[in-house]
Amino acid sequence: MVEKDVAVKTPDGTCDAVLYHPAGAGSWPAVLIWPDIMGLRPAFRDMGRRLAGQGYVVLVVNPFYRSAKAPVIGDNFDFSNPEQRARLTGYRNAMSDEGVDKDAQAYVAFLDAQPQTNKVRKVGVQGYCMGGTLSFRTAAAVPDRVAAVGSFHGGNGLVTKNPNGPHLLIEKANAGYLVAHAQNDDAQNPQMKEELKAAFNSAGRSATVEVYQANHGWCVKGGQAYHEAEAERAWAALNVLYGRMLGG
């Protein structure tokens, strides 16, 4: 497996990111990973390595490149600290919907420009926490290339009453979806999963929407909510989706 830090040009600047791909000759399907609210850090580098080891060209991005280089949090970061949490919220607010869409197009174009990427096969995108909504946006922004979307503990923001609600983008995409929902998010809004299923059905898109028996953040190693058994179950479901939609 090859790993290298890269710089991806976007309309808004330059995103620092990490690229992974299997070693040796060959070409593989490409996957974009959107990290959670705490950004690109070792836990997500590990995810990139794991996915590349399974036969993919993987780009893990710093979603907050407009505001700071990764890692945007230090070793002593405390999400419960209002001041520190507000800093991350500010980074997220600097990302407009239009900016995210242009980012997504730039990231997919960067992946397609890699000699290791199999351009015949489609692209996958997966996101965690806020990355779930960003993955929905990516599929709609690059519908001709993105064929698989994985959202993990994406929160209840996947369905909103706003005109920019992620669920409204489903019909603009040409992808299959895996939505792995956290049990505590579901407890707060049990109707959301049904609304999401209805949106998929209305758009005629294949999708699995499931509540996992773990709390928000369970897929990210090192986090307080990490749940190994359910995290591995989520990986297995993602592998099935990618195998079906990307041919990986």
Side-chain angles (χ1 to χ4, degrees), residues 165-239:
H167 69 294
L168 300 176
L169 298 171
I170 294 170
E171 63 182 11
K172 297 181 180 181
N174 295 303
Y177 290 74
L178 167 65
V179 180
H181 203 42
Q183 62 182 0
N184 55 341
D185 289 334
D186 182 63
Q188 292 176 5
N189 184 3
Q191 185 60 27
M192 194 213 76
K193 61 181 178 293
E194 303 306 328
E195 294 172 340
L196 198 53
K197 290 175 184 178
F200 285 126
N201 288 335
S202 176
R205 303 293 182 264
S206 64
T208 298
V209 180
E210 183 177 357
V211 178
Y212 279 60
Q213 301 307 301
N215 290 332
H216 189 94
W218 86 85
C219 287
V220 184
K221 281 187 177 181
Q224 291 182 341
Y226 179 64
H227 189 297
E228 183 176 8
E230 288 294 80
E232 289 302 314
R233 193 160 74 88
W235 270 109
L238 182 70
N239 289 340

Side-chain angles (χ1 to χ4, degrees), residues 35-46 60 70-71 73 220-221:
D36 60 19
I37 188 67
M38 291 191 285
L40 172 57
R41 58 194 190 281
F44 282 91
R45 286 177 175 266
D46 287 344
V60 188
I73 61 171
V220 184
K221 281 187 177 181

Side-chain angles (χ1 to χ4, degrees), residues 32-218:
L32 169 64
I33 297 182
W34 287 104
D36 60 19
I37 188 67
M38 291 191 285
L40 172 57
R41 58 194 190 281
F44 282 91
R45 286 177 175 266
D46 287 344
M47 288 187 189
R49 294 184 190 104
R50 176 172 181 169
L51 199 56
Q54 295 172 190
Y56 297 93
V57 179
V58 184
L59 183 68
V60 188
V61 299
N62 168 22
F64 303 133
Y65 73 87
R66 292 173 180 84
S67 303
K69 294 285 189 181
V72 298
I73 61 171
D75 293 337
N76 298 319
F77 183 85
D78 180 5
F79 195 74
S80 64
N81 181 303
E83 182 178 344
Q84 295 187 33
R85 188 170 64 249
R87 176 156 52 93
L88 290 183
T89 301
Y91 294 166
R92 176 64 182 93
N93 290 340
M95 302 166 60
S96 67
D97 288 345
E98 181 182 9
V100 169
D101 293 347
K102 290 179 179 179
D103 286 349
Q105 292 163 358
Y107 299 153
V108 172
F110 180 87
L111 280 165
D112 278 342
Q114 304 308 307
Q116 296 82 16
T117 296
N118 186 322
K119 284 76 170 177
V120 174
R121 295 183 180 181
K122 296 292 187 178
V123 175
V125 57
Q126 63 197 73
Y128 301 79
C129 178
M130 71 168 196
T133 62
L134 302 180
S135 294
F136 273 52
R137 295 208 67 87
T138 299
V142 202
D144 59 325
R145 289 295 287 133
V146 176
V149 177
S151 169
F152 302 93
H153 40 85
N156 292 315
L158 294 175
V159 177
T160 73
K161 297 186 182 300
N162 300 326
N164 65 343
H167 69 294
L168 300 176
L169 298 171
I170 294 170
E171 63 182 11
K172 297 181 180 181
N174 295 303
Y177 290 74
L178 167 65
V179 180
H181 203 42
Q183 62 182 0
N184 55 341
D185 289 334
D186 182 63
Q188 292 176 5
N189 184 3
Q191 185 60 27
M192 194 213 76
K193 61 181 178 293
E194 303 306 328
E195 294 172 340
L196 198 53
K197 290 175 184 178
F200 285 126
N201 288 335
S202 176
R205 303 293 182 264
S206 64
T208 298
V209 180
E210 183 177 357
V211 178
Y212 279 60
Q213 301 307 301
N215 290 332
H216 189 94
W218 86 85

Side-chain angles (χ1 to χ4, degrees), residues 12-37:
D12 286 344
T14 302
C15 173
D16 48 310
V18 194
L19 180 70
Y20 303 86
H21 60 78
S27 64
W28 301 270
V31 173
L32 169 64
I33 297 182
W34 287 104
D36 60 19
I37 188 67

